[in-house]
Amino acid sequence: VEFLYCDLASMKSIRQFVQQFRAKNCPLHVLVNNAGVMLVPERKTEDGFEEHFGLNYLGHFLLTNLLLDVLKQSGTHSNNARIITVSSATHYVGKLHLNDLQSRCSYSPHGAYAQSKLALVLFTYQLQRLLTANGSHVTANVVDPGVVNTELYKHVFWVVKVVKWMTAWLCFKTPEEGASTSIYAAVSPEMEGAGGCYLYNEERTKSADIAYDEELQRRLWTESCKMVGISDAASRLP
């Protein structure tokens, strides 16, 4: 096990991390996009992005795109490289505001968080369509870990914190349980060659209807490329 530092809220840090990883000339068989914040007060990343959208979504969008060629080289016909992105059931109530992805008009922590999680599902589906079209031995899936007892809830209202403290042992998953679906997507033989799936409790399930809107997927992808400065990302897909 080796640790390389990467701050998903910093485009500079992401690019530096990718350079360091590439310098090792290692294959990349599994990429799990799991960083995130939830219900943080209105604030921006160092690049000027609203924090939920910038960290939860754009950071993973850039990281994945910069590592796609390594994933392509690592995957084979019988052993595809795998990209697993962690979303949330909150995406079901999310709305994507293409004209205000930074939530400048009316900021809501709940709305911004839900939008970032919906964006991750849309991104995964569009990525899988592009990978399939290019015949790449790489699959992309998105998972819902469920309600997990972690520090992700530190920004919720104090009443919710009290309820969480009282009921976590009964209603919340442990971190190990919360990781199970991501691990399943990463290593299970049943998922070999399967992409574009939304997984919950290690089973394929249906995501929000809006997430299957291919035009919305394409528009978000194009806008995301502009925001992170990789306008040729789609053409560079393997």
Side-chain angles (χ1 to χ4, degrees):
V1 176
E2 184 175 356
F3 174 81
L4 294 179
Y5 179 80
C6 182
D7 180 358
L8 269 292
S10 166
M11 301 295 116
K12 179 181 179 180
S13 178
I14 293 168
R15 292 180 183 278
Q16 290 176 338
F17 165 81
V18 171
Q19 288 181 341
Q20 292 175 339
F21 180 80
R22 286 178 177 277
K24 295 182 178 296
N25 293 316
C26 294
L28 179 58
H29 300 104
V30 178
L31 173 64
V32 181
N33 293 318
N34 186 53
V37 293
M38 183 177 76
L39 307 184
V40 297
E42 186 173 10
R43 60 194 188 195
K44 297 180 179 179
T45 67
E46 66 178 45
D47 301 289
F49 300 124
E50 186 278 316
E51 189 167 357
H52 289 99
F53 196 76
L55 194 161
N56 294 2
Y57 171 66
L58 285 177
H60 292 119
F61 179 87
L62 177 62
L63 178 67
T64 301
N65 272 282
L66 294 180
L67 291 173
L68 271 178
D69 56 343
V70 184
L71 286 156
K72 171 198 171 183
Q73 295 164 9
S74 305
T76 65
H77 177 72
S78 58
N79 288 285
N80 282 216
R82 305 186 188 190
I83 301 168
I84 297 93
T85 297
V86 180
S87 181
S88 163
T90 310
H91 92 275
Y92 286 105
V93 297
K95 295 182 179 180
L96 194 77
H97 302 284
L98 279 171
N99 296 323
D100 186 26
L101 292 172
Q102 304 299 323
S103 303
R104 294 191 179 98
C105 293
S106 179
Y107 182 77
S108 159
H110 295 84
Y113 176 70
Q115 176 179 245
S116 71
K117 291 301 180 178
L118 173 59
L120 289 170
V121 183
L122 289 159
F123 155 66
T124 299
Y125 291 166
Q126 174 67 0
L127 175 59
Q128 182 60 53
R129 289 174 60 244
L130 293 168
L131 291 168
T132 300
N134 284 273
S136 304
H137 298 308
V138 183
T139 59
N141 291 296
V142 59
V143 307
D144 172 6
V147 183
V148 188
N149 188 16
T150 69
E151 289 298 308
L152 190 65
Y153 296 86
K154 65 182 179 180
H155 293 289
V156 300
F157 191 54
W158 70 268
V159 174
V160 179
K161 288 184 179 180
V162 172
V163 173
K164 174 181 177 290
W165 177 77
M166 296 174 62
T167 63
W169 64 275
L170 178 64
C171 303
F172 286 55
K173 292 182 178 181
T174 65
E176 291 78 12
E177 291 170 338
S180 64
T181 301
S182 294
I183 295 170
Y184 172 80
V187 302
S188 172
E190 296 175 12
M191 293 302 297
E192 177 57 43
C197 302
Y198 185 86
L199 302 170
Y200 176 65
N201 283 345
E202 302 181 15
E203 294 184 356
R204 304 181 198 190
T205 188
K206 188 175 181 296
S207 61
D209 290 339
I210 190 66
Y212 298 102
D213 185 330
E214 294 185 3
E215 177 61 22
L216 187 60
Q217 294 168 11
R218 286 191 290 268
R219 292 177 65 190
L220 174 63
W221 184 281
T222 298
E223 187 61 28
S224 302
C225 289
K226 293 178 182 177
M227 295 174 81
V228 301
I230 51 169
S231 59
D232 65 333
S235 64
R236 292 193 297 105
L237 282 168

